[in-house]
């Protein structure tokens, strides 16, 4: 097989660096030892017809290899895990449970965390954001409580490190710098274990090195974090 090609941004706002979803794909590829190339997109070009032909929603990442084109980071990670060894258990039951945790990360844990980002960053100045924030935080806290209880003192969610852990840790990392980070010692340690993996370190360094473009003029104010971040990040 040829090397896969993924897409990523050449610039993002300060609060997105290290969190853009191509990191999940890079991490999976690093875990399985598969080299890859990156095609960088300037901000705005993800909405162009040429990119929408690959990703109908105008987002990143995409994944191309030997005539196969995929979008959605979770689907790409699952494809990598099923194509190369190391991210899914060999036995059918273990494989099914790892995939179960992949879906749990993206469908159960991530949605309220995304709501938090919308309420504090993307729509933080809108009049409806602050009133809804307590309910959003309550939903995240409930999910973190449930996940913490399930993880307990285990190193990973179900036996060895899997694609389920990769996606769950990627989702939990979105809470960095918020009042919700570190609410559970075992989850903080879980995220730290994931971030300490050499494959994650390589993936993160690769993503950060790709942010080489200056910000578009209209987004220049988002190139650096504000001096006082308040409730948001």
């Amino acid at each position: 097989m040829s090397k896969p090609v993924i897409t990523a941004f050449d610039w993002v706002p300060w609060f997105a660096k290290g969190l853009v979803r191509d990191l999940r794909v890079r991490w999976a590829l690093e875990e399985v030892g598969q080299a890859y190339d990156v095609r960088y997109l300037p901000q705005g070009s993800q909405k162009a017809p040429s990119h929408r032909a690959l990703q109908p929603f105008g987002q990143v990442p995409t994944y191309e290899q030997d005539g196969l084109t995929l979008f959605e980071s979770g689907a790409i990670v699952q494809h990598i895990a099923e194509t190369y060894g190391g991210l899914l258990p060999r036995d059918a039951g273990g494989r099914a449970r790892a995939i179960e945790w992949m879906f749990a990360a993206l469908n159960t844990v991530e949605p309220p965390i995304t709501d938090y980002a919308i309420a504090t960053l993307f729509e933080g100045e809108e009049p409806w954001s602050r009133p809804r924030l307590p309910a959003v935080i309550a939903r995240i806290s409930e999910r973190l409580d449930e996940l913490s209880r399930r993880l307990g003192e285990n190193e990973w969610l179900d036996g060895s490190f899997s694609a389920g852990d990769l996606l769950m840790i990627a989702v939990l990392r979105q809470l960095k710098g918020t009042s919700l980070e570190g609410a559970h010692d075992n989850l903080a340690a879980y995220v730290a274990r994931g971030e300490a993996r050499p494959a994650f370190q390589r993936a993160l360094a690769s993503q950060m090195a790709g942010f080489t473009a200056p910000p578009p003029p209209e987004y220049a104010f988002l190139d650096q974090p504000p001096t006082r971040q308040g409730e948001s990040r």
Side-chain angles (χ1 to χ4, degrees), residues 37-156:
D37 291 325
V38 184
R39 184 168 65 252
Y40 287 97
L41 304 177
Q43 279 292 332
S45 65
Q46 71 271 25
K47 305 299 183 182
S50 58
H51 185 68
R52 285 190 186 274
L54 305 176
Q55 218 293 1
F57 304 105
Q59 300 170 325
V60 300
T62 60
Y63 177 101
E64 298 171 80
Q65 186 180 33
D66 296 331
L68 173 67
T69 300
L70 296 172
F71 63 93
E72 290 296 330
S73 59
I76 297 170
V77 169
Q78 183 169 347
H79 171 73
I80 293 168
E82 292 179 335
T83 302
Y84 307 96
L87 283 174
L88 289 175
R90 293 180 180 274
D91 66 289
R95 178 183 177 278
R97 290 191 300 275
I99 294 172
E100 173 183 69
W101 280 113
M102 293 174 66
F103 279 88
L106 301 181
N107 290 353
T108 302
V109 179
E110 187 164 40
I113 294 176
T114 299
D115 284 345
Y116 183 86
I118 292 171
T120 60
L121 290 171
F122 302 108
E123 297 179 357
E125 300 303 317
E126 300 295 342
W128 57 78
S129 290
R130 187 163 294 277
R132 67 186 295 263
L133 193 55
V136 172
I137 292 174
R139 286 195 295 273
I140 297 173
S141 296
E142 180 180 16
R143 291 299 182 226
L144 295 180
D145 290 346
E146 293 162 339
L147 183 62
S148 175
R149 286 195 297 270
R150 182 58 180 262
L151 178 65
E153 298 303 315
N154 297 322
E155 184 178 22
W156 308 114

Side-chain angles (χ1 to χ4, degrees), residues 156-194:
W156 308 114
L157 288 169
D158 192 280
S160 300
F161 178 84
S162 75
D165 295 294
L166 186 153
L167 288 178
M168 187 65 77
I169 291 166
V171 166
L172 294 176
R173 290 185 71 251
Q174 295 177 75
L175 294 173
K176 283 185 174 294
T178 75
S179 59
L180 293 157
E181 182 185 14
H184 298 277
D185 290 344
N186 66 335
L187 293 183
Y190 173 61
V191 171
R193 283 194 294 275

Side-chain angles (χ1 to χ4, degrees), residues 186-208:
N186 66 335
L187 293 183
Y190 173 61
V191 171
R193 283 194 294 275
E195 292 178 327
R197 294 178 70 85
F200 174 84
Q201 292 293 317
R202 292 192 298 270
L204 180 62
S206 176
Q207 184 183 78
M208 297 300 287

